[in-house]
Amino acid sequence: MAFFDQDLSAFFQFLQTEKRYSEHTLKNYRRDIHGFLEYCNEIQLADWTEIDQQHIRSYVARVHRQGLAGKSIQRLLSSLRSLFRFLLRNSKLKLNPAVDVAAPKSNRKLPEVLSPDKLDHLMHLDGSDPLAVRDMAIMELFYGCGLRLSELVGLDLKKIDWQGQTLNVLGKGSKQRIAPFGDKARLAMRNWLKLRGQFTNEDEPALFVSQRGMRISASSVQQRLKKWAMKKGIDQRIYPHLMRHSFASHILESSHDLRAVQELLGHANLSTTQIYTHLDFQHLAKVYDAAHPRAKKK
């Protein structure tokens, strides 16, 4: 793959500096593209111009046979299209060979959610332990604000607006968004801040820190949620995105405002948010029957 290296280096630099993609997104791009280029090396392609649509279709068929899911193949093709667009702009190609290649269809997995009763049970922690106080605040922000795991661990003290009760969080694609929080989350954070000084000094910017006084890691947060779920006897796998899914589903059930949920979650496209509407289809039917002029029976 040596003949690709210089162009790849420029492409990933472009994604990092101009597109401002997160390290997680860059990791996915690298994995997808390097996998395809290993295939190109295997079939002895020596230049970008030798890659055509059939090569991409063959590679997609191969990884699909190997068990790669449709959604992952969609991401793979998106990575390749982005790479080829970059090469087009830099006169390395005359056309994008991935532009008309489609991923195999796959069933869209509906998000899991926790019932309000289970959430209430999970979030009643022993208030005497400082780490339990911290974990309580973490769970309140996951469920109370719908934060992603990366948004929570990246949250700094200076990003909290106590008067307006909002958080300035860094979301996907390094996009800033404002997330409101309620009184319970406010109280939980205040309780944690009273104890935070036991673990770190004033120079640490992170809201949530580990026992060693540094910004808490994503894996630590995941492990703490698992621990509390086991301790509480909850017969369901508990993970950060489950809290976010529950937040979105419960808000939609109560408000029936899909656009508002989209803004709260920080989704770029409404289609991403629409997956939560499966929980409330019966309500939509009732709204139609009550509001549409031709829905009422005479």
Side-chain angles (χ1 to χ4, degrees), residues 129-272:
D129 175 17
L131 292 181
V133 174
R134 180 201 65 188
D135 294 348
M136 179 72 180
I138 285 173
M139 286 192 276
E140 283 289 355
L141 290 191
F142 274 139
Y143 180 58
C145 304
L147 297 188
R148 299 179 176 95
L149 177 57
S150 61
E151 293 170 346
L152 181 127
V153 298
L155 188 60
D156 290 338
L157 289 167
K158 66 180 181 180
K159 299 298 186 180
I160 306 171
D161 178 355
W162 293 104
Q163 186 173 0
Q165 292 199 186
T166 59
L167 306 172
N168 188 334
V169 298
L170 190 64
K172 280 190 173 180
S174 298
K175 293 179 181 177
Q176 300 279 344
R177 69 184 177 90
I178 302 299
F181 59 85
D183 290 340
K184 287 188 176 182
R186 182 179 183 277
L187 178 61
M189 284 191 288
R190 288 292 194 191
N191 288 339
W192 159 238
L193 290 176
K194 292 174 185 176
L195 304 172
R196 179 179 174 276
Q198 297 179 20
F199 302 99
T200 192
N201 56 44
E202 294 180 359
D203 295 332
E204 172 56 55
L207 170 60
F208 295 114
V209 297
S210 67
Q211 286 179 285
R212 292 183 293 174
M214 299 181 295
R215 186 183 299 275
I216 196 169
S217 68
S219 59
S220 292
V221 173
Q222 291 169 322
Q223 290 300 319
R224 295 293 291 184
L225 288 183
K226 288 180 182 178
K227 174 193 169 183
W228 285 113
M230 291 178 63
K231 191 170 183 178
K232 291 282 188 172
I234 296 175
D235 58 348
Q236 189 172 349
R237 188 171 71 92
I238 306 298
Y239 52 96
H241 227 66
L242 176 66
M243 308 283 281
R244 177 171 158 89
H245 287 323
S246 302
F247 161 83
S249 297
H250 296 164
I251 288 286
L252 186 60
E253 286 171 7
S254 299
S255 70
H256 316 300
D257 191 334
L258 194 61
R259 288 283 183 186
V261 174
Q262 177 192 6
E263 291 295 322
L264 289 168
L265 291 174
H267 285 161
N269 299 309
L270 189 62
S271 59
T272 309

Side-chain angles (χ1 to χ4, degrees), residues 113-124 143 236 246 249-251 253-254:
V113 296
L114 267 175
S115 70
D117 288 342
K118 282 186 178 179
L119 277 162
D120 189 58
H121 178 56
L122 174 66
M123 296 168 68
H124 272 82
Y143 180 58
Q236 189 172 349
S246 302
S249 297
H250 296 164
I251 288 286
E253 286 171 7
S254 299

